[in-house]
Amino acid sequence: MTVQAHIASLEKKHGALEEELQTVLASPSADDREIAELKRRKLRIKDQMQRLKSSTRH
């Protein structure tokens, strides 16, 4: 898998997590732990994307 393909895959996962997070937040019985976990997973993916993007610029 090329770096660009990996970044695209991560962006897709990030978007899916964002949609899932929005669905959970819209629920009246939103679980704080689930929300925190989704946010952590999104942040990890975002960090991975940033590292990959910065490594391709050098």
Side-chain angles (χ1 to χ4, degrees), residues 4-5 7 13 15 17 27-28 34 40-41 44 48 52 56:
Q4 291 301 87
I7 291 171
K13 287 179 185 178
L17 283 172
S27 171
E34 183 179 5
R40 275 193 295 276
R41 288 170 55 195
R44 277 194 299 262
Q48 285 179 322
L52 287 170
T56 59

Side-chain angles (χ1 to χ4, degrees), residues 2-54:
T2 66
V3 174
Q4 291 301 87
H6 190 58
I7 291 171
S9 172
L10 290 172
E11 286 173 341
K12 194 172 185 178
K13 287 179 185 178
H14 189 269
L17 283 172
E18 176 61 28
E19 288 179 19
E20 187 178 348
L21 178 61
Q22 292 307 316
T23 301
V24 170
L25 288 172
S27 171
S29 61
D31 180 17
D32 289 340
R33 285 176 287 169
E34 183 179 5
I35 292 168
E37 177 59 26
L38 288 169
K39 288 181 177 183
R40 275 193 295 276
R41 288 170 55 195
K42 274 183 60 185
L43 185 57
R44 277 194 299 262
I45 290 173
K46 185 177 179 182
D47 289 344
Q48 285 179 322
M49 287 188 301
Q50 286 302 108
R51 280 194 302 273
L52 287 170
K53 287 176 182 179
S54 67

